[in-house]
């Protein structure tokens, strides 16, 4: 199976980006990370991408664009010119426009640090902890116009322990993210899927 070019959009530490780059390097995930875009000038994700030799690594400053759509059009042009087939959001802390969602319909994926549809939003880890759930985890999902509301591709479960705080729980969830995100990308490329209602049906040969 040929590698598929992907773009990663990240605002923060970029540890999921690093996990995807590592899986790609080790031949465990058939992707070529061709573009990394960040909306934060100091995002460590940019350094990770440059060190890994990603061809196009860009900070695009939202202040340079008149609105969200203009910003997302600039991103879309870069992503398309590079021939990317999937857009992978990895800690991208910015709401994307309906232009972007529809332009790349069912080709944008995100990872969320909770078991959706529970605990959507910016701090799903704290919200799950505060609610008192005994298991949480992470979810890889297609991106639609609703925040964390797209169809679910995969999930991994992480137990919540008595002594957990936000950081310890998030760290254990992230260990699962580093496996789940590359695995899900691999499955998307090698196996493919169809959508029935809200259900993602993998094209596994049974
Ligand atoms: C992850 O926990 C992910 O689930 C959430 O943002 C965090 C990004 O972490 N969307 P990193 O920047 O990949 O380290």
């Amino acid at each position: 199976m040929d590698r598929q070019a992907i773009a990663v959009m990240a605002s923060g530490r970029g540890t999921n980006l690093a996990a995807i780059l590592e899986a790609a390097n080790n031949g465990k995930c058939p992707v070529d990370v061709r573009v990394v875009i960040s909306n934060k000038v100091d995002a460590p994700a940019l350094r990770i991408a440059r060190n890994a030799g990603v061809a196009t690594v860009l900070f695009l400053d939202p202040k340079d664009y008149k609105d969200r759509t203009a910003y997302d059009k600039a991103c879309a042009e870069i992503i398309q010119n590079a021939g990317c087939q999937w857009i992978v959001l990895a800690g991208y802390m910015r709401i994307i426009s309906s232009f972007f969602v529809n332009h790349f319909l069912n080709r944008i994926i995100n990872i969320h640090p909770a078991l959706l549809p529970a605990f959507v939003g910016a701090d799903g880890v704290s919200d799950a902890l505060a609610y008192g759930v005994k298991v949480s985890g992470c979810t890889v999902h297609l991106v639609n116009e609703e925040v964390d509301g797209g169809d679910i591709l995969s999930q991994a479960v992480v137990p919540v322990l008595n002594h957990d705080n936000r950081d310890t729980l998030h760290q254990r969830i992230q260990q699962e993210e580093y496996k789940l995100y590359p695995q899900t990308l691999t499955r998307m490329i090698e196996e493919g899927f169809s959508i029935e209602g809200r259900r993602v049906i993998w094209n596994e040969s049974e």
Side-chain angles (χ1 to χ4, degrees):
M1 173 72 64
D2 285 342
R3 281 169 179 260
Q4 292 194 4
I6 66 167
V8 177
M9 300 176 82
S11 308
R13 292 189 308 139
T15 61
N16 276 285
L17 167 65
I20 292 167
L21 286 164
E22 194 187 327
N25 268 340
N26 295 341
K28 290 189 181 150
C29 184
V31 297
D32 171 18
V33 181
R34 216 174 267 178
V35 173
V36 171
I37 295 175
S38 182
N39 61 323
K40 297 280 178 199
V41 67
D42 53 357
L46 289 170
R47 188 171 25 82
I48 290 172
R50 285 193 197 102
N51 289 346
V54 173
T56 303
V57 182
L58 290 170
F59 158 60
L60 293 191
D61 192 342
K63 291 205 286 290
D64 292 341
Y65 298 85
K66 79 171 192 308
D67 56 21
R68 205 175 282 287
T69 303
Y71 184 88
D72 284 357
K73 279 190 173 159
C75 294
E77 201 176 313
I78 293 158
I79 290 166
Q80 249 170 328
N81 288 344
C84 297
Q85 300 167 64
W86 299 99
I87 295 111
V88 175
L89 308 184
Y92 188 60
M93 301 304 282
R94 189 174 155 80
I95 292 172
I96 58 179
S97 60
S98 54
F99 158 78
F100 197 82
V101 170
N102 291 307
H103 194 71
F104 296 113
L105 196 65
N106 291 340
R107 290 198 285 141
I108 312 169
I109 64 172
N110 182 44
I111 190 158
H112 181 74
L115 294 176
L116 293 174
F119 311 117
V120 300
D123 202 357
V125 178
S126 298
D127 295 342
L129 199 57
Y131 193 92
V133 292
K134 296 300 183 199
V135 293
S136 190
C138 47
T139 303
V140 178
H141 63 93
L142 294 168
V143 171
N144 65 10
E145 291 191 44
E146 201 185 317
V147 175
D148 301 322
D151 301 339
I152 292 172
L153 289 156
S154 60
Q155 295 185 299
V157 175
V158 173
V160 179
L161 305 179
N162 282 342
H163 60 261
D164 264 335
N165 57 40
R166 186 195 179 283
D167 289 344
T168 57
L169 179 57
H170 194 205
Q171 269 167 30
R172 288 204 322 287
I173 290 172
Q174 287 222 281
Q175 294 308 314
E176 292 303 316
E177 292 185 340
Y178 304 152
K179 293 182 262 175
L180 191 69
Y181 223 177
Q183 275 168 7
T184 306
L185 272 163
T186 302
R187 215 171 170 198
M188 287 164 63
I189 292 166
E190 292 187 346
E191 206 169 309
F193 61 84
S194 57
I195 298 171
E196 290 176 13
R198 274 204 58 98
R199 295 185 67 202
V200 168
I201 309 293
W202 293 100
N203 299 334
E204 57 202 338
S205 41
E206 280 175 340

